[in-house]
């Protein structure tokens, strides 16, 4: 009787020790005699010691910081660039069986892919089309990690560091572009103003008395300020007419 009681107690201890808890954000990979047997879902699962083992896998979205590294663009400009990659495990068994360390493998793959993509574009394309380049890196890494049971959700280029001499060149180009736009805007304004003046002159020439009214309006505006001195310029014909009238008297 004591023997059976002892065996029962041992069996209870073994069963209690075999209970393994898998959380909601995890999956368990069970191995029986070293072979993959099943994926354990969240809750309590039995894993008997000696001939069974298991490994937990976190299936939440993970962020991998791709460290800063040097790369050369298509137009031979040396830059330093880093990024962050987001991925999620959709098949826990593949993530454990197909690759030794999936987090390290994803990081290394992202680094090499980023260098290759940067080398295929010019500096202008890299600076102006960062979203497009990030999407291209994401697509390539996602296809490569699919056999590992990993889904790459997003890749973001964080920072592109340029050499100091290249920063000065870009600043000079930007300044020259601003000066160019200022000259163009000024020229367009002068053309528009000359066109408006031509239209006004044409209108005044067609309407009798329009020019005199404009002159009187201008004189009124100038005379409103007492500090202004107004000088009238009369045609020589008017002076001769006035002289003729004086001689007749």
């Amino acid at each position: 009787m004591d023997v059976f009681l002892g065996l029962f107690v041992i069996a209870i201890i073994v069963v209690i020790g075999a209970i393994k808890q898998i959380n909601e954000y995890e999956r368990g990979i069970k191995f029986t005699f070293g072979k993959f047997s099943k994926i354990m879902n969240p809750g309590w699962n039995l894993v008997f010691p000696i001939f069974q083992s298991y490994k937990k896998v976190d299936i939440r979205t993970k962020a991998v910081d791709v460290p800063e590294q040097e790369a050369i663009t298509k137009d031979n400009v040396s830059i330093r660039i880093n990024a962050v990659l987001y991925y999620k495990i959709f098949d826990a068994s593949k993530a454990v069986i197909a690759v030794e360390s999936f987090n390290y493998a994803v990081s290394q793959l992202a680094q090499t892919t980023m260098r290759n993509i940067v080398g295929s574009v010019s500096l202008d394309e890299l600076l102006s089309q960062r979203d497009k380049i990030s999407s291209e890196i994401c697509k390539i890494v996602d296809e490569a990690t699919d056999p590992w049971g990993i889904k790459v959700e997003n890749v973001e280029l964080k920072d592109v560091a340029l050499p100091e001499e290249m920063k000065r060149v870009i600043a000079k180009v930007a300044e020259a572009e601003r000066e160019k736009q200022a000259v163009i805007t000024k020229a367009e304004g002068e053309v528009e103003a000359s066109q408006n003046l031509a239209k006004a002159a044409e209108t005044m020439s067609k309407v009798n008395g329009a020019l005199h009214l404009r002159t009187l309006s201008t004189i009124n505006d100038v005379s409103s300020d007492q500090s202004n001195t107004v000088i009238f310029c009369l045609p020589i014909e008017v002076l001769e007419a006035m002289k003729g009238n004086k001689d007749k008297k």
Side-chain angles (χ1 to χ4, degrees), residues 110-125:
Q111 291 183 44
T112 55
T113 303
M114 186 168 63
R115 284 197 299 267
N116 292 336
I117 293 297
V118 169
S120 65
V121 298
S122 65
L123 179 61
D124 289 340
E125 292 173 331

Side-chain angles (χ1 to χ4, degrees), residues 111-142:
Q111 291 183 44
T112 55
T113 303
M114 186 168 63
R115 284 197 299 267
N116 292 336
I117 293 297
V118 169
S120 65
V121 298
S122 65
L123 179 61
D124 289 340
E125 292 173 331
L126 178 62
L127 296 177
S128 61
Q129 302 179 12
R130 293 177 64 166
D131 292 341
K132 179 181 178 181
I133 294 172
S134 297
S135 299
E136 186 67 21
I137 296 173
C138 180
K139 178 182 177 182
I140 294 174
V141 178
D142 182 46

Side-chain angles (χ1 to χ4, degrees), residues 56-100:
K56 289 183 179 181
V57 177
D58 192 326
I59 62 171
R60 291 175 293 184
T61 299
K62 299 176 180 61
V64 175
D65 189 15
V66 182
E68 185 179 71
Q69 54 192 303
E70 188 171 346
I72 300 177
T73 62
K74 186 178 180 180
D75 47 355
N76 295 322
V77 177
S78 179
I79 63 169
R80 298 192 66 82
I81 186 171
N82 60 355
V84 60
L85 180 145
Y86 299 91
Y87 74 90
K88 189 174 184 179
I89 296 174
F90 68 85
D91 191 328
S93 61
K94 290 182 179 180
V96 172
I97 298 172
V99 62
E100 181 178 0

Side-chain angles (χ1 to χ4, degrees), residues 204-220:
M204 288 182 178
S205 64
K206 293 180 179 179
V207 179
N208 294 329
L211 182 58
H212 297 291
L213 290 175
R214 180 58 181 166
T215 302
L216 292 174
S217 176
T218 303
I219 293 173
N220 181 63

Side-chain angles (χ1 to χ4, degrees), residues 223-234:
S223 61
S224 61
D225 189 350
Q226 296 180 358
S227 63
N228 293 331
T229 301
V230 181
I231 300 175
F232 294 96
C233 298
L234 298 176

